[in-house]
């Protein structure tokens, strides 16, 4: 589906939520659908994207695509140690 294609949905919301969308739409001189679309778009960009990243990470773990914690910590120690050699602290 392209970005411009639209789908109709039915959504049951508390009346106070719909009223809030209506007030915002009136202030912005937009329709309720536009305001709701913007709200959903922001959700997908933030919290929704985080959920999908977490799900992707869990899928990787399920496939055995992981690194042992000890190996990751050792690599981190090596990076810190190398940085300390290149940038010694004065004082």
């Amino acid at each position: 589906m392209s970005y411009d294609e639209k789908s109709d949905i039915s959504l049951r919301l508390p009346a106070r939520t719909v009223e809030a969308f209506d007030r915002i739409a009136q202030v912005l001189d937009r329709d309720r659908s536009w305001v709701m679309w913007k709200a959903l778009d922001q959700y997908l960009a933030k919290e929704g994207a985080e959920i999908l990243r977490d799900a992707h990470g869990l899928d990787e773990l399920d496939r055995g695509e992981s690194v042992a914690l000890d190996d990751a910590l050792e690599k981190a120690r090596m990076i810190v140690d190398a940085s300390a050699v290149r940038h010694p602290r004065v004082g």
Side-chain angles (χ1 to χ4, degrees), residues 24 26 91:
I24 294 166
Q26 184 179 14

Side-chain angles (χ1 to χ4, degrees), residues 26-91:
Q26 184 179 14
V27 167
L28 296 175
D29 195 26
R30 294 287 198 155
D31 63 26
R32 180 196 308 156
S33 292
W34 184 87
V35 175
M36 295 175 87
W37 170 74
K38 293 297 284 183
L40 289 169
D41 198 47
Q42 287 182 8
Y43 170 84
L44 290 173
K46 295 177 183 169
E47 188 173 342
E50 184 177 334
I51 290 167
L52 293 175
R53 280 191 305 273
D54 290 348
H56 179 74
L58 292 171
D59 288 344
E60 287 177 335
L61 289 173
D62 288 344
R63 291 190 305 268
E65 299 171 6
S66 62
V67 175
L69 177 60
D70 289 340
D71 293 343
L73 291 174
E74 180 58 30
K75 185 171 183 176
R77 278 189 214 100
M78 289 171 45
I79 292 169
V80 170
D81 291 347
S83 177
V85 169
R86 284 193 306 272
H87 307 285
R89 294 187 113 179
V90 177

